[in-house]
Amino acid sequence: MKTSKLILGIGQSLRRDDGVGLEVVRRWQILFSAHSADVDIHVELLELPGLGLLNYLERESQVLIVDAVYSGAAPGTLYKLLEADLADFSPATGSVHGWGIAEALAFGRQVYPHKMPESLDILGIGIGEVVLGEGLSQEVGAVIDNAARLVERWVMGEWLRG
Amino acid sequence: MSSVQALEQALGVVITPEIRLLRRLLYCAEYIESHALHIYMLQGPDLLHHESALSLAEENPEMVRMALRLKKVGNELLRVIGGRSVHPVNSCVGGFYRWPELYAIHALVPELEWARRTAIEAVKFAALLSYPEYEMDYEFVAIAHPDEYAIYDGEVVSSRRGRVPLDRFEIAYIETHVKHSNALHSHAADGKPYLVGPLARVNLNFQQLRPLARQAAEEAGVVLPIRNPFKSLLARAIELVEVCDTAIELAHSYTPRGASCVPLTVRAGEGMGVSEAPRGLLYHRYIVDEHGLVCFARITPPTAQNFAQMEADLWQFVPGVLALPHEEAELACEHLVRSYDPCISCATHFLKIKVAR
């Protein structure tokens, strides 16, 4: 029976702000090391998983995806999203190498509905233009700690409390 | 794998046979996941008259589940060897940061055996598909190896030029800027385009295929050379048998013996490396200074090498579809481009055609 939690940081570390999902999860691991060492909380950092995302989801009951999103709002805006909300955002990666998160999730629901997690939440971090390089912009880097605290709230089951 | 080979040549590093075998196994994993994706999720839906894998999944969910399982076998093998299933991180100059666990490699053998059976069925499936009538007289370029079907290493060979020494590669095949693209295009020295990828490999190295892959191809009635780019899918299916069969043998014989990484001494030097990525020949050249810093890098990836050939194909192909309604003509051209499995092939609609009448 699946009872574990999975935190998935997604992004491309060589495309600056697109790597913010990876950085937020790493920061959560540092700030909340007690929880990050819990054997029932799995952590994965993925760059462009494409359809490979489905391989990670099928083992878990509760999943949090942490990823950059492009909404047109100020970079650094934090979003608590559900799967259905993804349609309102453009893919932030600027990449055409693979399936996006929304497409992969929709595909999984269609092909493997019984293997998909019981609950799936998304922490989106708004970013601006994606450019090549390492490191985050000042605006996006400034919200890493707050985003990591939201990850912790999700772990504590307090995700819906504002 | 081309990058580490190039840097090892620059630094004078010679890897052990065990490291080479594990690198071949890593490449088998890359082929399995990449070819499964392209055969069933990207080009397959085109040839089955579906808009995408999503609509194919509505009609034939079993086929799509089978494809996902096949792809997962490759991804799992990648994860076990490379540390993660996408963009593996365990490979390094000189070998691997650590040996993968023996039990983890062996544990994947049953799934690899299932994958091999499925790959044989994939060849039968590919042989029965209806392909558009179109052929091109290509110059095929791939690497070849005297003892095996070359994917990890070998010497460059061309169907028109014969053997091309690696230190002459940039003279034989030239990258240039073209006005209409932000990617470099490659041509042979005589200005003509050439083709890399599964069609080139299968046509040039058919006799090096393992008996099982050759048998699957022969039973499917494959006649060489295959000059129809849409039949890249068939070539990929044959290669799928090849790499699954190879992977099983390599997994069985895997022996993590000695150091996983050959020690290196930093020195100034220059090196070239070439391997066959699933999409085709991948060439790297680096110049390293005495501190180990890379001060020159040239990376010639397969998709970029094929751009000029894709354009030449389109020039020849388009007159045959101009009589079709505009959307159908556009789709037919997209299918042609997708048969190459370029990086953009995941996009369902990526091509715009303007017809000047």
Side-chain angles (χ1 to χ4, degrees), chain A residues 45-52 54-56 58-59 96-99 103 106-107 110-115, chain B residues 37 41-42 53-55 57-58 61 64-65 68-69 71-72 75-76 79 84-87 279 343-344 346:
Chain A
L45 301 175
L46 306 174
E47 302 209 13
L48 287 175
L51 279 176
L54 301 179
N55 298 340
Y56 293 89
E58 68 185 39
R59 297 194 288 264
V96 288
H97 278 259
W99 292 50
E103 291 89 351
F107 196 68
Q110 185 179 345
V111 180
Y112 284 130
H114 57 289
K115 287 190 177 180
Chain B
L37 182 72
M41 311 287 215
L42 299 174
L54 280 167
S55 65
E58 282 175 23
V64 173
R65 285 189 196 115
L68 284 173
R69 183 176 167 188
K71 180 173 161 23
K72 188 178 175 184
N75 281 125
E76 281 297 296
R79 187 182 61 75
R84 57 186 190 183
S85 60
V86 181
H87 299 167
R279 287 174 171 134
C343 301
I344 53 169
C346 302

Side-chain angles (χ1 to χ4, degrees), chain A residues 10-87:
Chain A
I10 294 176
Q12 299 176 90
S13 50
L14 292 179
R15 292 179 76 96
R16 301 223 33 173
D17 283 350
D18 186 58
V20 66
L22 309 173
E23 284 305 310
V24 167
V25 175
R26 287 191 188 112
R27 186 64 59 89
W28 170 78
Q29 288 176 307
I30 293 167
L31 293 180
F32 302 96
S33 54
H35 266 144
S36 65
D38 187 329
V39 292
D40 287 326
I41 300 174
H42 303 153
V43 175
E44 296 284 352
L45 301 175
L46 306 174
E47 302 209 13
L48 287 175
L51 279 176
L53 178 68
L54 301 179
N55 298 340
Y56 293 89
L57 300 183
E58 68 185 39
R59 297 194 288 264
E60 314 290 345
S61 57
Q62 296 176 54
V63 174
L64 175 68
I65 290 176
V66 186
D67 195 7
V69 296
Y70 180 75
S71 66
T77 305
L78 299 179
Y79 300 91
K80 290 178 176 178
L81 304 171
L82 296 171
E83 207 174 319
D85 300 325
L86 287 176

Side-chain angles (χ1 to χ4, degrees), chain B residues 246-259:
Chain B
T246 304
I248 291 165
E249 181 181 291
L250 292 172
H252 274 307
S253 64
Y254 171 59
T255 315
R257 189 167 40 206

Side-chain angles (χ1 to χ4, degrees), chain B residues 26 73 93 146 169 185 255 278 297 348:
Chain B
L26 181 77
V73 175
V93 178
F169 183 80
H185 283 209
T255 315
T348 308

Side-chain angles (χ1 to χ4, degrees), chain A residues 132-150:
Chain A
L132 288 174
E134 290 183 286
L136 302 175
S137 67
Q138 196 174 352
E139 299 93 326
V140 172
V143 303
I144 294 290
D145 282 1
N146 284 344
R149 287 187 196 100
L150 284 176

